[in-house]
Amino acid sequence: MSKTILNPRPNFDDIFMELAKNLARRSHCLKAQVGAVLAKDTRIISIGYNGPPAGTHNCDEEFPETGCPRDAKGSCSLALHAEQNAILYAVKNGSNIEGSTLYITLAPCIACARVIYTMKIQKVLYLDSYAAYKGIGVEEGVEFLRRFGVEVEQYGAGTGVVL
């Protein structure tokens, strides 16, 4: 009788998404905590989480009851998105991110999708729906990226791994 053995070694998608989930916990945002990992060829290039530019303020400390001010669309008017932080840090440090994969806990908004495409990121794996979070009917960022040839998938954990 043969016995099926699950592979105890997680795949890199699982490792990088788990890291993105942990990075999200670093965010000071009261509304949504989002993490991102930028990787290429099984190596991490950069990480990020959503929040205001370094050295400005922390939303949970400066606006503990309400969170930071919102713009006309209900989005944070002070913060950078997790993928923006990961991309900006990589570029600031001279990393080549063309052809990389972005792991993110929330699907990209349309503005971030334009940056992702412009930076020639090849693939995006996201955990949760931005459209559902914002209460809109369309995953605008995902549709934009797919329209212009970026591979985009909603993440599902690999076999044999519990996240």
Side-chain angles (χ1 to χ4, degrees), residues 27-119:
S27 173
H28 288 271
C29 182
L30 298 177
K31 307 279 184 186
Q33 295 180 311
V34 182
V37 174
L38 194 56
K40 187 175 184 180
D41 301 328
T42 71
R43 299 290 182 227
I44 295 170
I45 298 171
S46 185
I47 60 173
Y49 52 88
N50 62 317
T56 59
H57 71 279
N58 291 320
C59 298
D60 59 347
E61 295 167 0
E62 192 167 331
F63 312 102
E65 266 88 63
T66 59
C68 64
R70 310 312 270 177
D71 65 17
K73 293 183 180 179
S75 295
C76 177
S77 62
L78 303 173
L80 295 167
H81 289 186
E83 59 270 50
Q84 291 172 326
N85 271 322
I87 292 166
L88 288 169
Y89 186 79
V91 172
K92 178 181 174 182
N93 289 294
S95 298
N96 177 7
I97 64 173
E98 185 173 337
S100 62
T101 299
L102 178 66
Y103 298 83
I104 189 157
T105 59
L106 190 64
C109 69
I110 188 68
C112 287
R114 291 189 290 260
V115 172
I116 291 165
Y117 174 77
T118 300
M119 297 307 298

